[in-house]
């Protein structure tokens, strides 16, 4: 059966959460939003494309930073309301220059920074 991006369940703003996971390590790298056109562009170009809510425009990961996400596999959940993209990540995934956006943990009631920014 051919995939149709409109078959996914988007929220009232026309967006769906997309989780990026490193294809080699399994690390969860980040979460961002896609609309139907970003889904289509991602599948067509194999460069992960998100929708920036603050800029109200497409955001091709790595376009300005060089920290590219190359699509390896595109998956969606059983409710069709969340996307998982398996990627080959070049450099940092987080805008703070960390490998992942999930670098803070709560341990014994305290926030703990798990990693420092990557060296350039």
């Amino acid at each position: 059966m051919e995939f149709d991006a409109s078959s996914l369940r988007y929220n009232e703003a026309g967006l769906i959460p997309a989780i990026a996971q490193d294809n080699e390590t399994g690390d969860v790298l980040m979460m961002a939003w896609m609309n139907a056109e970003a889904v289509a562009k991602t599948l067509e170009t194999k460069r992960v494309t998100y929708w920036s809510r603050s800029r109200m425009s497409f955001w091709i990961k790595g376009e300005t930073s060089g920290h590219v996400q190359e699509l390896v596999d595109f998956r969606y959940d059983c409710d069709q309301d969340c996307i998982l993209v398996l990627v080959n990540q070049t450099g940092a995934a987080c805008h703070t220059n960390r490998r992942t956006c999930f670098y803070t943990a709560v341990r014994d009631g305290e926030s703990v920074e798990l990693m420092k920014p990557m060296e350039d």
Side-chain angles (χ1 to χ4, degrees), residues 97-114:
N97 207 39
R98 289 173 174 85
R99 181 77 181 149
T100 173
C101 292
F102 298 95
Y103 61 87
T104 307
V106 177
R107 306 260 167 91
D108 297 322
E110 300 289 327
S111 291
V112 178
E113 185 178 297
L114 302 175

Side-chain angles (χ1 to χ4, degrees), residues 16-61:
I16 188 170
I19 300 165
Q21 182 177 25
D22 188 289
N23 185 58
E24 292 182 19
T25 67
D27 291 342
V28 176
L29 301 173
M30 58 178 282
M31 184 288 241
W33 297 93
M34 290 185 177
N35 60 16
E37 194 172 347
V39 168
K41 286 177 180 286
T42 296
L43 292 169
E44 178 184 323
T45 66
K46 306 296 186 220
R47 293 275 310 274
V48 182
T49 303
Y50 300 104
W51 178 256
S52 171
R53 296 176 299 164
S54 60
R55 294 186 304 266
M56 298 298 290
S57 63
F58 293 106
W59 158 42
I60 301 169
K61 185 67 176 164

Side-chain angles (χ1 to χ4, degrees), residues 46-86:
K46 306 296 186 220
R47 293 275 310 274
V48 182
T49 303
Y50 300 104
W51 178 256
S52 171
R53 296 176 299 164
S54 60
R55 294 186 304 266
M56 298 298 290
S57 63
F58 293 106
W59 158 42
I60 301 169
K61 185 67 176 164
E63 190 172 45
T64 57
S65 68
H67 298 165
V68 176
Q69 288 180 346
E70 176 192 358
L71 182 67
V72 175
D73 199 16
F74 184 96
R75 302 177 185 181
Y76 52 91
D77 73 340
C78 56
D79 293 325
Q80 296 178 296
D81 63 359
C82 188
I83 294 168
L84 174 65
V85 287
L86 299 178

